[in-house]
Amino acid sequence: MPPMNGKRMAIAVLVAAGLLSPVPAAAQARHDEPVGMRQALEAAVSAGAPGVLVRIDDEHGTWIATRGTADLDTRGAVPREARFRVASVTKSMVAATVLQLVQEGELSLDEPIGRRLPGQIDGGDQITVRELLNHTGGLATYDEAAEFADPEQYGKRSYTPRQLIDEAEGLPSPERGRFSYSNTGYILLGLLVEKVTGHELSEELERRIFRPAGMTRSYLPKTWDGIRGPHATGYYLPTGADPSRPGSLRPITRLNPSFAWAAYGVVSDARDLNRFYQALFGGRLVSQNLLTQMRTGVTTPQAPIFPRYGLGLEAVGLTCGEMWGATGSIPGYETLSFADATGKRRMTLSVNVHRGDPAVAHMLLAAVDALNRYFCGEPYELPGAASKAR
């Protein structure tokens, strides 16, 4: 059995980890700096992130902070405008593209994927576009195949969408109608966009999403293994490695992203991700009706931290309520990007490591704590954790 993919492993250990010990709030903070934010970022570094970057954009302006290092050898600072692989935040952008086609009358959310892509997936005459968007189509996720056990190997290969789908069809299928995270569904959605528009997905994202939202630093690579512009070195922890041993984190900044493509392949930065959710939630990319459907979520096993998943969007359960956006995990980087309902308050956090060990729970809880300190003005606490500790 190959290892659980990084995103699902990280969420699983988060839920099992219990409460992150709150870090003390700063006695005083600048007007534009959320109280306790810097301590939350330092907690993420202490828990295993080489470096961390956070950017906040709202009506008061912009606040950017970094902690840790961009490279474990040179010990340089994380660039304030660092690019990174945003991983599954890509799904929000692909979903918005699909919903634009729905808005234009080119697609229906409830039509079977097999109508446009006959023969691409078993059961395609039953699985709807909506089910692909919210991970209820009963599709295995291809990245759990043995082929994807070692990123230093698969990150050097080129994959076609057909090969990724074939890998998924060799795995046991989850129950249709229940949430089961599947990158395979978004590979199919990428093919759907290309079939309906007659253009490559990267072109449609540029035309429909990046350009209208002002995302001038974002792109979807096909096979090129580098990252344009300033960036931190990305690291990963090999399966079974002891994270406490020096040198256990391996650099993996360069990798052929064809294995991720429409599911989790976009490269961007914190400014652009905040611009994306500002444009999306501000009604500039899809209609209000479709935006409401995007934020109508199915229950996930990751509750209460990530309780619901909509159409390419996921909710994070903070102490002051739910915020919507997405998380992403790919060899080299992990990302959390969320906004309030209007898109006026946005925060993106990036760490330059991908880990699947249980200790990663403390790192990710520190990231959620940082989100909570901005959106809610207080430390994060898992619902029921205080009473459970008592």
Side-chain angles (χ1 to χ4, degrees):
M1 174 69 69
M4 188 183 299
N5 73 65
K7 179 182 177 69
R8 294 178 65 189
M9 169 64 81
I11 290 173
V13 296
L14 255 174
V15 173
L19 179 67
L20 172 68
S21 298
V23 293
Q28 293 183 338
R30 294 197 315 248
H31 174 72
D32 60 347
E33 179 180 335
V35 174
M37 177 65 75
R38 290 176 184 263
Q39 290 87 347
L41 301 185
E42 287 165 0
V45 173
S46 296
V52 59
L53 162 72
V54 65
R55 175 171 174 136
I56 289 168
D57 288 293
D58 59 25
E59 66 273 23
H60 302 297
T62 297
W63 186 80
I64 302 171
T66 67
R67 281 294 183 272
T69 183
D71 189 280
L72 293 173
D73 291 329
T74 67
R75 311 305 299 184
V78 177
R80 288 166 58 86
E81 296 182 346
R83 276 69 157 176
F84 44 88
R85 302 186 192 279
V86 308
S88 287
V89 184
T90 300
K91 291 179 173 67
S92 295
M93 304 169 195
V94 171
T97 302
V98 170
L99 289 171
Q100 285 187 11
L101 294 172
V102 171
Q103 189 169 296
E104 294 163 8
E106 299 292 336
L107 284 175
S108 166
L109 282 173
D110 297 311
E111 70 175 78
I113 189 66
R115 179 179 299 173
R116 308 299 181 112
L117 301 174
Q120 282 284 5
I121 191 76
D122 289 344
D125 57 337
Q126 300 294 320
I127 303 169
T128 67
V129 173
R130 186 188 302 274
E131 289 173 323
L132 296 180
L133 287 165
N134 67 10
H135 302 287
T136 60
L139 297 180
T141 187
Y142 62 85
D143 48 308
E144 288 191 347
E147 169 72 14
F148 301 101
D150 183 357
E152 291 200 69
Q153 297 302 315
Y154 69 78
K156 297 176 182 177
R157 300 168 184 158
S158 288
Y159 296 91
T160 65
R162 180 69 258 167
Q163 289 173 312
L164 300 176
I165 294 168
D166 287 345
E167 290 288 349
E169 295 197 310
L171 299 172
S173 297
E175 179 183 350
R176 183 171 168 236
R178 297 181 60 126
F179 178 87
S180 184
Y181 198 88
S182 176
N183 286 317
T184 312
Y186 275 78
I187 297 301
L188 288 165
L189 290 168
L191 292 173
L192 177 64
V193 170
E194 294 192 337
K195 180 67 176 291
V196 172
T197 66
H199 303 130
E200 290 195 1
L201 177 62
S202 58
E203 296 174 9
E204 289 299 305
L205 287 175
E206 175 65 30
R207 183 171 73 87
R208 294 174 174 271
I209 306 299
F210 300 156
R211 202 176 303 150
M215 300 167 65
T216 59
R217 302 167 183 171
S218 303
Y219 60 98
L220 176 66
K222 182 174 286 187
T223 59
W224 188 64
D225 65 357
I227 296 178
R228 301 174 192 161
H231 58 273
T233 299
Y235 294 91
Y236 86 106
L237 182 70
T239 302
D242 181 355
S244 65
R245 295 187 60 182
S248 60
L249 295 182
R250 302 285 297 274
I252 195 162
T253 310
R254 302 191 73 93
L255 81 171
N256 183 325
S258 59
F259 67 88
W261 193 50
Y264 57 126
V266 164
V267 174
S268 187
D269 73 347
R271 184 205 69 171
D272 275 14
L273 293 188
N274 284 354
R275 287 184 174 186
F276 168 67
Y277 286 116
Q278 180 184 36
L280 180 64
F281 295 167
R284 289 161 44 203
L285 299 180
V286 302
S287 69
Q288 186 58 52
N289 172 60
L290 289 173
L291 182 57
T292 298
Q293 294 190 60
M294 290 186 80
R295 292 191 289 212
T296 301
V298 296
T299 302
T300 79
Q302 291 81 49
I305 300 176
F306 300 106
R308 296 189 294 149
Y309 198 99
L311 306 184
L313 294 174
E314 62 185 309
V316 60
L318 303 179
T319 61
C320 57
E322 293 181 357
M323 302 296 162
W324 285 87
T327 63
S329 183
I330 191 171
Y333 306 92
E334 302 211 16
T335 305
L336 295 86
S337 187
F338 289 89
D340 68 2
T342 65
K344 292 180 180 178
R345 302 178 68 213
R346 294 94 61 201
M347 174 175 158
T348 294
L349 184 148
S350 170
V351 297
N352 59 329
V353 71
H354 172 277
R355 297 174 55 171
D357 61 304
V360 75
H362 297 290
M363 182 185 79
L364 295 182
L365 277 169
V368 174
D369 182 47
L371 286 171
N372 206 83
R373 289 176 182 275
Y374 169 57
F375 286 111
C376 305
E378 62 182 5
Y380 177 74
E381 186 174 275
L382 279 170
S387 60
K388 184 176 179 181
R390 285 195 295 268

